[in-house]
Amino acid sequence: MSRSIVVLGGGIIGLSCAFEAALAGDAVTVVEPGRVGGQASGAAAGMLAPFTENGEQPDAFFRLCLNSLRRYAEWVSRIEEISGLCAELTAAGSLTVALHEADLQPLQARLAWQRRFGANAELVGPGRLREMEPRLHPGAVAALYCPGESHVHAPKLVAALEAACRRLGVRLLEHAGSIAAPRDPVGGAAPAVETAAYGRVGGDALVVCAGAWAGAYAELCGFPIPVHPIRGQICAFDLSGGSETGAVGSGADSEFVRHMVFSSQAYWVQKRDGRLVCGASEDAAGYDASVTARGIGRLTRWTPRVFPFLDGRAPAMTWAGLRPATVDGRPLIGAVPGRPEVLLAAGHYRNGILLGPATAAMVGSLLRGEQPHLEAATSFAPDRFARLGTVGGR
Ligand SMILES: Cc1cc2nc3c(=O)[nH]c(=O)nc-3n(C[C@H](O)[C@H](O)[C@H](O)COP(=O)(O)OP(=O)(O)OC[C@H]3O[C@@H](n4cnc5c(N)ncnc54)[C@H](O)[C@@H]3O)c2cc1C
């Protein structure tokens, strides 16, 4: 039976959940106070790198990331098919570079861990490294190569998801302004929010996907939601002029970075339009999403240490976004206890682009009334901080 689902927040997580529910035949409305994709999701580097981004433990979060990576290609091709737009999913693989002998030992430990979990990773010595990534600093001693990691163009993925949602009949209410959500609907009615621009918007279920702003729904949920913003400042170098044909990477002399490259201080990932994205700071600045000289300075200082051909080159673009962080680094995905019609999917911190498909799958099964398996139910329970008494501990 078709239900009406209201998704609160139009970032990657809200759009992914809306897409999933619309595919299942539900009537979906997305309520977004500003512009769809206008916050963290539009600022992201788009890396899908669960092995590189996670610590060396096979916990529930890592397994969720891996599950999402495995869903990605099929998910993106469905979105592209419905929207007619390209998200630029690129199977680039990643290189975590050791610039000094002392960096080698931690890479070896990571290699053993990545292999245990199916990464097909290998340690690459200096000769092969130069062939694989010719623009890298010639002094780099080795790199951990993880071929299964990939990336998308995050703003293009968001645009494709938005278009796919529209094609499936999802109502997108942008520029909704302030949104109020009382805990108990009047007279036991279905859950609803009151918006400045569209008045009351309600449905059979609400899904809160408000990223770093999810805490605003504490009253609706009946417990605190300790999601806080961590600013990520990021920049891009314009390498589009590096090839005579204009096709990035096609000429022998082209300035092309083939893999996602990680060092201890920054990462680099090249997009198809020739922009080499370099990120990202992690600073606590409240809800201030502006760029600072200090935040970008670290990235521009590190870039020539890894890519000497960029010495003296200034980034063509700088921007920032607010990652939705939680105290334990894991997202909140689940229903409010006792209120199965109110769900949360927020707090994806550094991995929200990667986690779109797995989160949507979890939310989709919750909307169908299915119970999550025990590990997910406990690891991502939205009320876990209230139960543990750790709210305010960040
Ligand atoms: C610089 C940077 C680089 C990143 N790189 C990567 C990467 O390479 N790979 C990766 O996987 N992740 C990356 N991330 C993280 C990723 O961007 C986030 O985890 C992800 O975008 C979170 O998605 P979201 O939909 O929860 O949040 P958002 O995209 O922030 O969306 C939340 C939406 O909720 C809206 N909203 C605000 N208040 C309310 C309200 N009261 N009610 C309803 N809606 C509201 C906002 O306007 C916003 O549109 C990066 C982040 C940054 C900042």
Side-chain angles (χ1 to χ4, degrees):
M1 192 183 65
S2 169
R3 296 145 310 163
S4 59
I5 310 294
V6 177
V7 174
L8 302 167
I12 184 85
I13 299 300
L15 292 174
S16 303
C17 293
F19 180 63
E20 181 83 13
L23 282 174
D26 290 330
V28 185
T29 303
V30 176
V31 185
E32 164 56 49
R35 191 168 45 82
V36 160
Q39 296 292 343
S41 303
M47 296 179 302
L48 312 175
F51 290 102
T52 305
E53 281 280 323
N54 277 288
E56 286 152 37
Q57 48 190 349
D59 59 7
F61 181 67
F62 169 69
R63 275 194 289 278
L64 186 71
C65 289
L66 202 52
N67 175 292
S68 213
L69 180 69
R70 288 179 178 149
R71 293 172 182 270
Y72 230 89
E74 202 181 318
W75 184 69
V76 164
S77 84
R78 193 94 198 263
I79 292 165
E80 291 181 338
E81 193 190 324
I82 295 172
S83 67
L85 298 175
C86 179
E88 296 188 4
L89 176 61
T90 305
S94 67
L95 290 169
T96 303
V97 176
L99 294 174
H100 310 285
E101 294 287 338
D103 302 333
L104 263 173
Q105 207 183 350
L107 281 194
Q108 272 152 352
R110 278 195 90 76
L111 172 70
W113 171 75
Q114 291 190 0
R115 280 198 171 155
R116 215 168 334 130
F117 292 95
N120 205 15
E122 56 182 306
L123 212 52
V124 174
R128 174 131 179 262
L129 188 53
R130 259 185 290 286
E131 280 170 28
M132 290 175 73
E133 200 59 82
R135 295 285 178 172
L136 213 53
H137 196 290
V141 293
L144 179 55
Y145 173 45
C146 189
E149 296 190 322
S150 48
H151 62 94
V152 287
H153 191 298
K156 289 187 181 176
L157 173 62
V158 169
L161 253 179
E162 179 188 349
C165 283
R166 286 190 198 278
R167 277 275 166 91
L168 294 174
V170 172
R171 216 160 53 112
L172 289 166
L173 303 181
E174 288 186 283
H175 305 289
S178 66
I179 301 173
R183 172 159 201 191
D184 295 310
V186 183
V193 293
E194 197 64 46
T195 70
Y198 301 97
R200 186 179 178 282
V201 184
D204 299 322
L206 293 184
V207 189
V208 176
C209 303
W213 295 265
Y217 291 95
E219 190 191 340
L220 172 77
C221 295
F223 48 79
I225 303 170
V227 177
H228 59 279
I230 294 291
R231 181 168 63 182
Q233 301 184 51
I234 183 163
C235 64
F237 298 89
D238 181 9
L239 309 188
S240 59
S243 141
E244 282 176 15
T245 62
V248 175
S250 62
D253 271 348
S254 63
E255 293 178 333
F256 187 55
V257 175
R258 298 169 181 168
H259 303 84
M260 294 182 285
V261 173
F262 292 84
S263 77
S264 60
Q265 299 295 315
Y267 58 75
W268 296 264
V269 52
Q270 183 150 1
K271 302 299 170 182
R272 292 185 194 171
D273 61 5
R275 284 185 314 134
L276 180 67
V277 175
C278 171
S281 75
E282 283 186 275
D283 44 291
Y287 287 90
D288 176 2
S290 56
V291 165
T292 65
R294 188 158 180 253
I296 298 297
R298 185 172 59 82
L299 305 175
T300 53
R301 270 195 311 282
W302 262 86
T303 293
R305 293 185 203 177
V306 176
F307 291 108
F309 78 102
L310 289 171
D311 199 11
R313 194 92 79 89
M317 290 174 71
T318 60
W319 67 98
L322 302 173
R323 302 181 190 90
T326 61
V327 186
D328 62 6
R330 296 196 303 263
L332 314 171
I333 310 172
V336 171
R339 292 196 69 185
E341 76 285 7
V342 180
L343 285 82
L344 261 119
H348 293 71
Y349 193 39
R350 291 175 62 97
N351 286 287
I353 303 298
L354 168 64
L355 287 169
T359 302
M362 271 183 80
V363 167
S365 66
L366 288 165
L367 286 172
R368 288 192 297 274
E370 295 163 11
Q371 290 301 310
H373 57 81
L374 189 63
E375 183 188 64
T378 47
S379 302
F380 309 120
D383 63 332
R384 64 185 182 272
F385 301 110
R387 282 188 281 118
L388 293 172
T390 52
V391 171
R394 63 181 160 93

